[in-house]
Amino acid sequence: MKPHQVFIAANLAILLLSVMSSAQDHPRSETANGPNASPEKMLAVRIISAKTEAERSSILEGAGESLNPKLAAAVTDEAYRLSGQVPQTEVERIARLAVGIAEKVADRRETARALNALGNAQQDGSEKLATLQKGLLLSEEIGDRELIAKFLIAIGAAQATWEKQFDYFTKAIALAEKAGDKKTVASVWGRIGNHFTQEGDYLVARDYHAKALALREELNDQAGISITLSNIGVLNIKQGNLAEAIKALRRSIAISESLRDKEGAGIDSYNLGNAFYLAGDYSEAMELYLKGLRLFEELNSQGGLEGVFTNIANLYNSQGNYEQARAYLGRASLIFDRSGKEIPQYALGTYGDSYRAEGRFDKAIDYYERLLKLKEKSENKDSLAETLVEIGNCYLLMDNPGAAEGYFERALGLVDRTESHGWISRSLLGIAKAQLMQKRYDAALRTADLARSHFEKMKGPVQDWELHSTLGQAHLALGHSAESRESFHRAVGALEELRSNVAGGPSQRQRFFESKTSAYALMADSLNMGGDLAEALKYIEMSKARVLLDALGDGRVRIERSLTASESARERLFENELVSLNTQIGAQQNRPQPDKTKLNELQVQLAKKRLEFEDFQVRLYSDHPLLRSDRGKMQPASFAEIGDLVPDSRTAMIEFSVSESKTLLFVISRSATGKLVLKTHSIDIKQNALERMIDAFRIKTATGNLDFVNEVKELYHLLLGPAEAELKGKTDIVVVPDGVLWGLPFQALQDGSGKYLVEKAAVSYAPSLTALREMRRKADSRRSRRAAGAELVAFGNPVVGGETKQRVQRVFMGERLEPLPEAERLVNELGKMYGAARSKVFTGAAAREETAKREAPRYRIVQFATHGILNDASPMYSHLVLARDEKDPNEDGLLEAWELKDLDLDADMVILSACDTARGRVSAGEGVVGMTWAAFIAEAPTTVATQWKVESASTTELMLEFHRQLLSKRKVSKSEALRRAELKLLKGTKYRHPAYWAAFVLVGEGS
C-alpha cells in the first residue's frame, strides 16, 4: 500500500455529529427521588419543582432541621445531574437556588460547589467567568484544593483558545497531584483526550485516555473507568476502529449496569449502536438504540431522546425507509419545539438527505434552504458554502444546470477571497459540471482548470479523480482525444491511490469505491472511440469486483497468518498515525483562517510518516512475497487470460458498462477457426431510462403479470440485439452485468421470434471476467479436504424462534417468516436422491445456525431452503433464517452474509433457494453485494440464488430437476443443468410463466 493518504470511509461521518459525550467532572447519579433518596434529596426535588416563588419560600420555611448543607448539596447535585438533559436555562435556575440555600445556611464549601454548577450552566461568557472566578476565590479562601482544581478546569473550558484552556488544565492537574486527588487528574486527562479526539489528533488523544484509564483502574473508580471507556469508544469510532470501539463500549455498559447508572448505560448503548450502524449491522444497532431510548425515557432525558430519534432516522434513511426516517425526525422535532430550541442543523440536514436519497429533490432543497437560513446566523462561510454546494448538486441531479450554477456561484462568492481552497475548488468544480451539462465546453474547461489550481494547494488525491474526470469530459467534447485520455488516466490513477488507502474492511472499501467508477467508464469510452478495444475492456475490468478480488486473492485467511504479531501491530500503528495526521490537516484546511505554520508542520510530519511507512512496506513485501497480490494488487485479466475463459466457438462472454449517458457492450467469442474476437457496441440509452425499463419488467415478471411480452422483447432488442451476429449459435453465454443490469434475468429475454434466451443457451453470470478467472482457478486447484462421499448437506424449513422473529421484524417490518413445508419436502427428497451415505439433511429444530456453520465446510454442495432476508442498505448483513439453540448465547438463528463469508468452505457450489438471495445493494464496481458475494469469499466458486420472492412448490420442482441433471450419467455443466431445469418448467403448463423459473441465476463458475 503506497501510503500517500489513509481515509476513513465517508459513511463514518454520518452519525458522529450526534455522538454523545460522557460526563467529565461529575459522576452520573440516580434521580434524587429514587428508592435510596435521603430526606434532603426528596426535599430538594420539592423545592426545584415548586411552581411559584411563594410556594418555594413556604417549603423552605417549613424545612426545619433539613435546611442544612446537605440540602444545598442535594440541589447542586440535581443541577449537575440534569445538565444536558434539560435546557441549560433550567439548570442555571436550579444552580442559583443551590447558591441561595448554601449562602442561607452559611456553608462556604457548598456555596463554592453551587457556584461551580452555576458557572458551568451559564451561557453568557462574561457572567460565566465572573461566577467561576468568585467560586475560585472562595475555594482558595477555604483551602479546598479539590474545588480549586474543579474551578480551574471550568475556567479553562470557558477560554476562547486551546492554548489558554490547556494552561488552566495543566494548573489544575498540578494542584490535584499535590492534593493527591488522582480522580481529578484522571478527569482532566479525559478532557484533554477528548479535545484531541475532536481535533483529529487520535494518537495523542489515545495516550491521554490510556493514562486516565490506568489511573482510574488503580483507584478502582468504577464510574470513572466507565466514563473513560466511553471516551475511548467514541475515539475508536472516529478513527474507524469499530471492533475496538465495540469492545470498549460493551465493557463500559457492563460497569454502568452494575452501578445502576442508567444515564451512562444509555449514552454507551447509543454510541455502541453508532458503532454497529457504521459496521453495517443495522439490526444490532436498532436494538441498542431502542435500549438507549428506553433508558432515556425513564430518565426523561430530552437530549438523549433527541439524539436517539435522529440516529434511528439515519438508520431508516440508510435502509431506504424514508417515511419511517422522517417519522422519527418528527419525534425529535417535537423535543426541539417543547424546549423552545430551533431544530438543529444536523436534523435539517438529515431531512434533506432523506428526500434527496428518495429522489425528491425539490423537498430536499426546501430543507437545505432552511438549513442555509440557520447557518447564515453563524456567519461561518465554509459552512454556508457547503450547503450551497449541496443545493447546487441537487439541481444538477434534477437536470437543471442553470439553477445549479447559480448556487455554486453563490458559494464561490463567499469563499473566493479566503484560504478555504477546499470549498473554492468544490464550488468551481460544480460550476464546471453545470457548464458541461449546458454544452459550454470551453467555459467548463477554463473553470475546471481554475479549480485545479486550488486543488493542487490542498496536496492530496482526494478530489483529483473528480476534477480530472470533469476535465476529461470537456476535452472529449471538444475533440481533444489525447488530452481527454490523459485526464481520465490521471483520474483513474488518483482513484487507484485512494482506493488502496481506505481504512476499514471490505464494506468500507466497497462503499468508498462505488460512487467513483465513472472515471473508468469514461476512459473506456474514450479508448473505444479510438478503436483500442482491448485497452477499453481492461479499464472496465479495473472498475469491477475490486473488493471481491481482494478477498478472492486469499487475503481473507493468509494476510493475518503471514504477518507476525509485531508486524501487524506496527502496521496498525502506521495506519492510525496516517489517519490522525490527515484528519488534522483536513480540519486545519477547512478552518476559515487556517494556521499556516501548524499546517506546514503537519504536512512535514505526514511526508515523513509516509516515507517511514513505505520503507516498512518494502521490507514487509520482501519478507512476505505473497502479500502484495493478497492486498488488492491483483491485475485485471489480460486479453489472453480472458481468451482462456472462452474454450470454443459455442461460448461467448458479454460484459456491460452502464454510464449516465450510454451503455457499452463488449462481446468476446471465438470464430469457427478458433480465433479470439472482441467487438464492442455502444447502446444509446441513459442510465435512468434503462433503470425504469428494468424495474417495469421485474415488477411484471416477478408478480406473474401476463402482459410482459413487450418488455422482454424490447430489452432483448436493446441489449442483445446489437450483438445478435456474434451470439448466433452460442450455447453457453456468460453475462457480466453492470449496475442496474444486475436486476435483469437475461435468460428471460425474448428475441423477435418469441424465443427466450434460455431456449437457445445456458446463461451464467460473473461479477467481472477477472473474478471469473479467479473462481475457475480455485475450482481447478482446490485439493479436496472432505471425506469420501460427502456430496450434499441441505437445510430446510427451520423452526424460527420467537426471539429471532422479533429481531428480524424490528428492522424488516414486512417479514412474516411463515413455515416452509415445501422447503422441507425439497431437502428430504434431495436426501433420498443423493443417499444417506453421501448426504445430510437438517430440518425443523435441527436446522440450526451452529449446525450449518459446522457442517457446511465438509460438503461439495451446500443447499439452504430457508427464508432469506435482503438488506439492501447493508448487504453483508443480509441473512438466512435458521433455527436457534436457545442455550447458545453466541447464535441468534440468523446466518448473516458476513458470517457465511468467514466459513472456510470446500464446496463446489452453494445453492440459496430462498427469497431474494441473488440480490443485495447494487454497488457500482462490485455488482450485487450480498449472499452470493459472501459465498465467493468463502471460496465457493459457484452460487445459485434467486432474484425475487419465489413460489415454494415451483421452487421444489425446479430444484429437484436441477439436481437430477447434476447427477445424470450424461455429464452436463452446472449452468446447463440449471437451464434444463428452467426449461422443464417453461415447457410445462403450470409453471411456464417466467415468475416461476427466471428468478434462478447461477453466478460464478458454470462449467
Side-chain angles (χ1 to χ4, degrees), residues 33 249 327 407 415 568 588 595 621 692 729 753 786 809 883 900:
N33 56 354
L249 290 166
Y407 278 92
V415 294
S568 294
Q588 194 65 240
D595 183 335
Y621 288 135
R692 286 194 297 271
S753 67
R786 58 184 173 269
Q809 290 167 347
L900 177 62

Side-chain angles (χ1 to χ4, degrees), residues 578-828:
L578 289 167
V579 168
S580 179
L581 286 166
N582 277 300
T583 304
Q584 291 176 73
I585 287 169
Q588 194 65 240
Q589 287 173 331
N590 286 326
R591 287 180 175 173
Q593 297 297 327
D595 183 335
K596 291 184 179 180
T597 304
K598 177 68 173 175
L599 191 57
N600 286 335
E601 287 174 3
L602 289 169
Q603 287 170 336
V604 168
Q605 289 177 47
L606 180 62
K608 183 181 177 184
K609 193 58 62 179
R610 286 171 177 168
L611 289 172
E612 289 176 9
F613 193 22
E614 277 190 11
D615 179 62
F616 169 75
Q617 286 199 309
V618 167
R619 286 183 280 108
L620 197 66
Y621 288 135
S622 174
D623 294 341
H624 308 281
L626 291 174
L627 198 58
R628 183 171 297 278
S629 62
D630 289 347
R631 291 212 167 160
K633 301 295 180 182
M634 189 181 292
Q635 295 300 309
S638 67
F639 191 54
E641 288 173 319
I642 290 171
D644 293 339
L645 302 175
V646 186
D648 52 47
S649 61
R650 298 188 304 276
T651 303
M653 307 272 170
I654 59 174
E655 179 158 4
F656 291 89
S657 172
V658 179
S659 64
E660 287 184 15
S661 59
K662 67 169 73 169
T663 293
L664 279 180
L665 167 59
F666 295 81
V667 185
I668 306 105
S669 61
R670 289 194 183 276
S671 67
T673 60
K675 182 183 178 183
L676 192 62
V677 179
L678 170 61
K679 289 196 175 180
T680 63
H681 303 276
S682 182
I683 300 170
D684 186 19
I685 186 169
K686 289 189 175 182
Q687 182 176 332
N688 53 9
L690 181 60
E691 187 168 5
R692 286 194 297 271
M693 288 178 69
I694 292 172
D695 284 346
F697 164 76
R698 279 182 59 84
I699 290 168
K700 284 189 175 182
T701 306
T703 56
N705 191 319
L706 296 176
D707 182 25
F708 66 90
V709 175
N710 288 340
E711 281 82 359
V712 294
K713 286 188 174 181
E714 188 178 359
L715 283 163
Y716 184 101
H717 176 74
L718 177 72
L719 298 170
L720 299 179
E724 200 151 30
E726 295 95 72
L727 296 179
K728 187 177 181 181
K730 304 305 181 195
T731 58
D732 186 8
I733 297 174
V734 177
V735 182
V736 181
D738 188 31
V740 297
L741 292 176
W742 274 103
L744 180 64
F746 280 79
Q747 63 271 18
L749 300 185
Q750 278 186 358
D751 63 16
S753 67
K755 266 196 170 185
Y756 290 106
L757 184 61
V758 73
E759 296 181 82
K760 299 189 284 187
V763 180
S764 61
Y765 298 82
S768 74
L769 295 175
T770 308
L772 182 60
R773 176 194 69 185
E774 294 305 305
M775 292 167 189
R776 286 202 178 171
R777 283 177 178 174
K778 286 197 179 298
D780 293 342
S781 65
R782 175 184 290 126
R783 289 181 301 175
S784 178
R785 296 185 297 272
R786 58 184 173 269
E791 283 288 303
L792 170 83
V793 63
F795 302 85
N797 194 25
V799 172
V800 182
E803 189 175 328
T804 302
K805 274 189 181 181
Q806 288 175 9
R807 183 177 171 86
V808 171
Q809 290 167 347
R810 193 173 288 127
V811 180
F812 305 97
M813 298 175 184
E815 298 295 341
R816 299 184 59 172
L817 303 181
E818 301 288 353
L820 299 168
E822 277 292 335
E824 187 164 346
R825 181 171 81 86
L826 166 62
V827 296
N828 284 330

Side-chain angles (χ1 to χ4, degrees), residues 425-687:
S425 53
R426 288 180 181 92
S427 303
L428 286 166
L429 188 56
I431 293 168
K433 288 179 178 179
Q435 290 166 337
L436 266 180
M437 289 177 71
Q438 296 171 82
K439 300 185 179 180
R440 293 157 53 200
Y441 302 125
D442 283 313
L445 193 58
R446 288 194 301 272
T447 306
D449 261 326
L450 185 57
R452 175 165 49 186
S453 67
H454 288 277
F455 277 131
E456 285 170 352
K457 291 175 184 175
M458 296 172 67
K459 297 184 180 177
V462 188
Q463 295 86 10
D464 275 8
W465 76 270
E466 197 172 3
L467 168 72
H468 289 293
S469 180
T470 304
L471 281 165
Q473 290 176 75
H475 279 303
L476 190 63
L478 291 166
H480 307 158
S481 301
E483 291 88 345
S484 71
R485 289 188 197 180
E486 175 61 24
S487 293
F488 292 141
H489 179 74
R490 291 187 66 178
V492 168
L495 279 172
E496 290 294 305
E497 183 177 329
L498 283 174
R499 187 190 166 278
S500 66
N501 294 304
V502 175
S507 293
Q508 282 75 26
R509 295 199 302 277
Q510 169 253 313
R511 285 180 181 275
F512 168 82
F513 194 59
E514 67 179 3
S515 63
K516 301 170 179 65
T517 58
S518 60
Y520 296 84
L522 288 163
M523 181 63 159
D525 190 31
S526 177
L527 289 163
N528 180 56
M529 289 168 66
D532 196 344
L533 308 189
E535 192 70 6
L537 179 59
K538 176 186 139 184
Y539 274 90
I540 294 302
E541 280 291 300
M542 284 176 69
S543 73
K544 289 188 176 181
R546 298 294 297 279
V547 178
L548 177 57
L549 283 167
D550 288 354
L552 287 175
D554 261 346
R556 179 173 62 88
V557 176
R558 197 185 302 145
I559 287 174
E560 287 75 17
R561 291 180 183 172
S562 61
L563 295 187
T564 66
S566 62
E567 285 171 338
S568 294
R570 185 122 188 260
E571 183 178 48
R572 280 196 302 273
L573 179 61
F574 272 122
E575 289 174 349
N576 287 339
E577 287 173 333
L578 289 167
V579 168
S580 179
L581 286 166
N582 277 300
T583 304
Q584 291 176 73
I585 287 169
Q588 194 65 240
Q589 287 173 331
N590 286 326
R591 287 180 175 173
Q593 297 297 327
D595 183 335
K596 291 184 179 180
T597 304
K598 177 68 173 175
L599 191 57
N600 286 335
E601 287 174 3
L602 289 169
Q603 287 170 336
V604 168
Q605 289 177 47
L606 180 62
K608 183 181 177 184
K609 193 58 62 179
R610 286 171 177 168
L611 289 172
E612 289 176 9
F613 193 22
E614 277 190 11
D615 179 62
F616 169 75
Q617 286 199 309
V618 167
R619 286 183 280 108
L620 197 66
Y621 288 135
S622 174
D623 294 341
H624 308 281
L626 291 174
L627 198 58
R628 183 171 297 278
S629 62
D630 289 347
R631 291 212 167 160
K633 301 295 180 182
M634 189 181 292
Q635 295 300 309
S638 67
F639 191 54
E641 288 173 319
I642 290 171
D644 293 339
L645 302 175
V646 186
D648 52 47
S649 61
R650 298 188 304 276
T651 303
M653 307 272 170
I654 59 174
E655 179 158 4
F656 291 89
S657 172
V658 179
S659 64
E660 287 184 15
S661 59
K662 67 169 73 169
T663 293
L664 279 180
L665 167 59
F666 295 81
V667 185
I668 306 105
S669 61
R670 289 194 183 276
S671 67
T673 60
K675 182 183 178 183
L676 192 62
V677 179
L678 170 61
K679 289 196 175 180
T680 63
H681 303 276
S682 182
I683 300 170
D684 186 19
I685 186 169
K686 289 189 175 182
Q687 182 176 332

